[in-house]
Amino acid sequence: MSRLTAAFIFTIVLWLLPQAIALGSESRSGAPKTAAPLAPRVEALVARMTLDEKIGQLNLVSHAGSIDGQLQSVRSGKVGAVLNVVHPDDIRAFRNAARTSRLGIPLIFGLDAVNVLRIVFPPPLAWAATWNPALAEEAAEAVARESAAVGVTWTFAPMVDVTRDPRWGRVIEGAGEDPFLAAAFAAARVRGYHKGGLATAVKHFVGYGAPEGGRDYNGASIPVSELHDRHLPPFKAALDAGSETVMAAFNTVNGVPVSANRDLLTGLLRGRWGFDGFVTSDYNAIGELVNHGVAADLGEAARKALLAGIDMDMEGNAYASHLADEVSAGRVSVEAIDEAVRRVLRVKFRLGLFDENMREAPPSTPDESWVRGIAREVARQSMVLVKNEGGMLPITPAIKTIALIGAFADSDYDSSWYGPAGLTKPATETLHDAMRKRLAPGQKLLFAKGVSDPCGKSFADEAEVVRTAEAADLVLLAVFEDCEMSGEGASRADLGLSGVQQQLLDLVAATGKPVGLIVNTGRPLALAAADTKASAVLITWHGGTEGRTALAEILTGERTPSGKLPMTFPRSVGQIPVVYSQLPTSRPPGHDRYTSRYVDEEVTPLYPFGFGLSYTSFSYSDLTLASPRIGRDGVLEVSVRVRNTGKRPGHEVVQLYTRQMVASRSRPIRELKGFAKIFLEPGEERIVNLRIAARDLGYHDDDGRLILEAGAFRAIVGGSSTATLAADFEIAGE
Ligand code: BGC
């Protein structure tokens, strides 16, 4: 993205804000406006509905098998929304079926349109690694526009779970370990999906990102204060940005499954936060209340979920098959069902789904080159250079022979592309081709597959690997953590390179040639062993359709890396959780045995949060606070001089952390409170200003109340969470 585009988007966002406010809660910006006030329309419709039709509105079914049976259910008013219907013809058939139902209530078409409909974008964790929410907003808009064009109306995104345990496969779907960063990306993604024409379901409310042992679906134990400080902020940000719906988490939090947790779904979300959209369950989560051992059967599960505040049952068949009986038996009131139906209808009205034009003419497919352009920019800005000994990268024309090793390097494999809507996979350049195009005259590119498949499950030809490496001046080794090892149901106990890829690296390193390691991964890996064998390490995430091209641009110096880690990379699994925002301990880590440390491992991570190198360098100086003393309603204003001290233009992510030095409870040693991604030409410098409202320096107590204590604070500014440039300030008492 050019700086011009960024500035333009920024202006647009500012410009849209008053418009969105003017529309009030009746219709979100972008959706057709309803002329009549909403409540009477909703009430009039509810008054005409039978109990079965009401329950039908709460039923979200997945498209599977033959369409005919499902169309019949829609015609008879038994379905309120569908998911995974992506072929435009099927969507049309479902729409028509809904139209011919007795009341003609439209369906919502849901899909995990997260980072791909047709063009594969890097995954959301990579979006966060750009530290560029405006770019993430564009990416979300592009995915949404592709999806809206086939008729999808609702995305099950953004996932905003804060994740501090890389063993959990779903870290790939979120923005990493920090609530401030996650909140910025949550809001940006909601805005982007909305601009592209989709409603959003912010998920998974709440605490799904902290499963014990990093094992998917496992319970989480989260103190209330921590829930509010760490896990809830991105949800609040997404709702403030206008997310129409919320998806509840599968797991238990403090022993209670969220899908049956009235305190969270009704007390907090609706009561305290005033959310008036609807809450959907996750896939079969209501049925799984039986597995959790909080319901004896599906009927009890349906009752508990509805009364807790789940409005829509995703593919659980619990509401459809049991709510009517629960009403007859007097265990669930019709009023409770009406309330859930109102929430669903309200969203349908807000989305303009009752509007005929909206139903007939889905928006047109966006221009492919526009979508690809954004995907390429996300890939470029997300790659994180974590090691570059002796300035090994970028490869200069002085390097005459380069060996490219790894099956991934010659593959267009994208495991996150799932071919919806019968579309053909978009053309994807391999790294091998992208590199060949960019070499200087006289430079030679050798290639050896090395392993049998992109994920390196077994060796192909070890002798060829050694021969190829020996014939080169430098080796680029591409390793890959397959998506089968990332995402839902893909927790790992070992975070080393998968398959035989560490052996492959050892083999290459043994030739004595300098190795640049390219790590295609969906999560932080424990790369200590790999790091010692490589001169350069570049984390590329899963790059998607444009990823290999962007990677070649970076390897050859056409572009300068600017990504920063949104999650800490541990040295070993035993360190987990290892995050930058830890609490201080009674005995800070030292050399003495009786300090907070390991006897067999360092305490520090391999690559810290917020860290990422560039091909240029930056200096920070003149950290200034507008005032060293701010009131409780005041704003901390920080400015710092940042200079590009290297020889290339480049982006830098300026990060502001704070620490409350003394408080009633122990506070993290630092917390991210602001950031800005800036671009500087060589020798250029800029004063960067960052502001934080004093109230955002507070924390929550065990009742979830925000506390802001007067006293001493420290502001720390720099290019990573290990920054040292600091200034002290104070929050004044009453
Ligand atoms: C996932 C959700 C997803 C849903 C529908 C579930 O298994 O947890 O995140 O939106 O499936 O695909």
Side-chain angles (χ1 to χ4, degrees):
M1 184 189 57
S2 69
R3 274 175 292 160
L4 196 67
T5 324
F8 177 69
I9 286 167
F10 184 61
T11 318
I12 292 278
V13 169
L14 286 180
W15 180 81
L16 276 177
L17 210 60
Q19 321 289 314
I21 291 165
L23 286 172
S25 60
E26 295 298 301
S27 171
R28 72 166 161 76
S29 160
K33 294 163 209 154
T34 41
L38 242 173
R41 297 181 75 188
V42 170
E43 287 314 317
L45 193 48
V46 172
R48 292 172 61 204
M49 295 169 82
T50 64
L51 180 62
D52 280 352
E53 284 166 336
K54 290 173 182 173
I55 294 170
Q57 283 305 304
L58 310 183
N59 192 21
L60 167 57
V61 298
S62 179
H63 181 33
S66 138
I67 192 172
D68 294 338
Q70 291 192 311
L71 292 179
Q72 191 41 46
S73 300
V74 173
R75 274 185 217 106
S76 49
K78 292 189 177 349
V79 175
V82 289
L83 71 144
N84 296 339
V85 189
V86 282
H87 196 289
D89 294 344
D90 291 346
I91 291 191
R92 211 165 300 121
F94 272 98
R95 274 193 175 141
N96 287 336
R99 188 170 305 141
T100 53
S101 65
R102 192 179 75 89
L103 294 170
I105 301 175
L107 295 167
I108 309 187
F109 293 90
L111 184 72
D112 290 292
V114 176
N115 63 315
V116 48
L117 191 283
R118 179 153 186 272
I119 300 298
V120 185
F121 281 69
L125 187 63
W127 298 15
T130 67
W131 290 62
N132 186 343
L135 182 58
E137 188 172 328
E138 283 189 281
E141 179 186 351
V143 173
R145 284 184 60 187
E146 282 200 335
S147 311
V150 299
V152 170
T153 42
W154 181 32
T155 177
F156 301 131
M159 186 198 99
V160 304
D161 298 310
V162 170
T163 56
R164 295 157 63 102
D165 189 335
R167 291 173 296 182
W168 192 48
R170 300 196 77 169
V171 303
I172 190 174
E173 295 177 60
E177 76 188 43
D178 184 74
F180 185 87
L181 190 66
F185 278 87
R189 289 176 64 192
V190 168
R191 287 193 299 266
Y193 293 127
H194 281 176
K195 276 171 148 176
L198 297 186
T200 53
V202 58
K203 69 188 186 185
H204 306 80
F205 186 83
V206 57
Y208 183 42
E212 277 179 15
R215 187 159 50 83
D216 209 356
Y217 317 117
N218 205 9
S221 298
I222 308 175
V224 173
S225 58
E226 205 171 288
L227 195 69
H228 284 265
D229 285 342
R230 187 180 299 160
H231 297 277
L232 286 168
F235 285 93
K236 186 69 171 60
L239 294 176
D240 288 347
S243 186
E244 299 85 348
T245 76
V246 169
M247 187 187 294
F250 276 126
N251 58 322
T252 57
V253 171
N254 303 331
V256 182
V258 177
S259 309
N261 191 324
R262 191 170 164 81
D263 286 348
L264 286 174
L265 298 174
T266 298
L268 176 71
L269 187 59
R270 300 216 169 83
R272 217 166 128 179
W273 286 3
F275 172 64
D276 74 344
F278 72 80
V279 176
T280 175
S281 78
D282 203 341
Y283 205 98
N284 193 35
I286 299 181
E288 289 166 20
L289 290 176
V290 175
N291 299 347
H292 277 299
V294 299
D297 52 36
L298 202 55
E300 188 179 358
R303 176 170 80 245
K304 285 203 155 167
L306 186 91
L307 298 181
I310 302 273
D311 303 308
M312 217 179 241
D313 173 5
M314 185 196 288
E315 194 57 16
N317 198 32
Y319 286 2
S321 56
H322 291 281
L323 274 188
D325 290 346
E326 290 297 308
V327 171
S328 318
R331 290 187 290 261
V332 169
S333 67
V334 173
E335 182 44 38
I337 291 184
D338 283 356
E339 200 41 49
V341 172
R342 277 185 199 108
R343 294 183 194 121
V344 171
L345 294 179
R346 217 180 276 146
V347 169
K348 289 187 173 182
F349 276 114
R350 279 185 187 148
L351 294 178
L353 299 182
F354 287 86
D355 180 275
E356 274 304 310
N357 295 336
M358 176 92 174
R359 290 203 247 175
E360 285 310 322
S364 55
T365 307
D367 176 42
E368 182 173 325
S369 62
W370 174 75
V371 182
R372 279 182 181 270
I374 300 168
R376 172 99 59 102
E377 191 58 30
V378 174
R380 283 177 188 139
Q381 291 203 27
S382 66
M383 293 182 191
V384 189
L385 182 65
V386 288
K387 182 172 185 183
N388 198 16
E389 240 168 42
M392 177 189 182
L393 294 178
I395 296 166
T396 62
I399 304 288
K400 289 299 168 220
T401 310
I402 300 146
L404 188 57
I405 296 181
F408 173 81
D410 205 28
S411 144
D412 69 353
Y413 177 67
D414 261 322
S415 43
S416 58
W417 194 80
Y418 57 99
L423 297 167
T424 46
K425 184 176 189 296
T428 305
E429 192 175 39
T430 67
L431 178 59
H432 194 184
D433 287 343
M435 284 298 289
R436 233 185 347 228
K437 280 189 201 156
R438 287 174 171 78
L439 292 185
Q443 265 183 320
K444 222 159 73 188
L445 186 66
L446 312 176
F447 173 71
K449 208 171 151 193
V451 281
S452 56
D453 60 289
C455 321
K457 291 191 180 116
S458 58
F459 272 109
D461 185 340
E462 291 163 69
E464 190 198 13
V465 167
V466 175
R467 260 196 326 272
T468 311
E470 278 174 346
D473 303 315
L474 163 162
V475 180
L476 293 174
L477 175 61
V479 294
F480 187 61
E481 193 212 28
D482 183 26
C483 279
E484 280 168 31
M485 299 193 96
S486 293
E488 186 174 351
S491 297
R492 292 184 65 184
D494 171 13
L495 292 177
L497 296 177
S498 59
V500 298
Q501 297 182 99
Q502 180 66 44
Q503 286 118 284
L504 177 65
L505 170 58
D506 295 345
L507 195 65
V508 172
T511 64
K513 301 292 175 169
V515 183
L517 186 67
I518 299 161
V519 186
N520 299 268
T521 177
R523 56 150 65 82
L525 294 171
L527 293 174
D531 181 276
T532 58
K533 299 288 170 85
S535 303
V537 180
L538 182 64
I539 309 296
T540 67
W541 317 108
H542 296 143
T545 310
E546 291 290 324
R548 283 87 161 171
T549 315
L551 174 55
E553 291 173 347
I554 287 195
L555 292 171
T556 56
E558 225 173 87
R559 299 280 169 160
T560 295
S562 66
K564 301 271 185 173
L565 295 177
M567 260 186 105
T568 304
F569 273 51
R571 290 176 194 275
S572 58
V573 169
Q575 288 184 315
I576 295 170
V578 55
V579 292
Y580 84 92
S581 59
Q582 283 165 349
L583 294 184
T585 63
S586 59
R587 298 187 178 183
H591 296 300
D592 191 307
R593 171 167 180 169
Y594 298 102
T595 62
S596 185
R597 62 178 200 131
Y598 298 103
V599 291
D600 59 354
E601 179 59 282
E602 302 281 324
V603 196
T604 56
L606 187 62
Y607 311 131
F609 175 84
F611 173 68
L613 301 166
S614 169
Y615 293 155
T616 188
S617 51
F618 300 94
S619 70
Y620 285 76
S621 62
D622 302 330
L623 174 59
T624 312
L625 307 183
S627 165
R629 198 154 189 273
I630 52 173
R632 287 162 175 280
D633 298 323
V635 172
L636 175 71
E637 294 180 50
V638 176
S639 68
V640 66
R641 186 185 304 275
V642 186
R643 184 180 170 82
N644 181 343
T645 50
K647 294 194 172 59
R648 288 167 171 269
H651 286 96
E652 169 67 330
V653 179
V654 181
Q655 301 162 44
L656 166 63
Y657 297 86
T658 61
R659 176 175 181 181
Q660 184 168 10
M661 306 308 290
V662 181
S664 301
R665 60 198 307 159
S666 210
R667 303 292 304 130
I669 50 177
R670 51 185 64 186
E671 293 178 286
L672 183 72
K673 292 292 176 186
F675 63 90
K677 190 163 191 171
I678 59 166
F679 182 83
L680 293 176
E681 296 290 345
E684 189 184 348
E685 63 178 32
R686 182 165 326 155
I687 302 290
V688 176
N689 299 301
L690 295 162
R691 293 162 55 89
I692 321 170
R695 68 172 177 281
D696 293 336
L697 298 172
Y699 64 87
H700 291 84
D701 68 9
D702 292 333
D703 294 319
R705 277 183 310 231
L706 182 68
I707 307 288
L708 177 60
E709 289 180 298
F713 283 75
R714 180 161 296 162
I716 309 118
V717 177
S720 95
S721 61
T722 58
T724 50
L725 188 61
D728 290 341
F729 64 98
E730 189 188 322
I731 295 206
E734 288 309 326

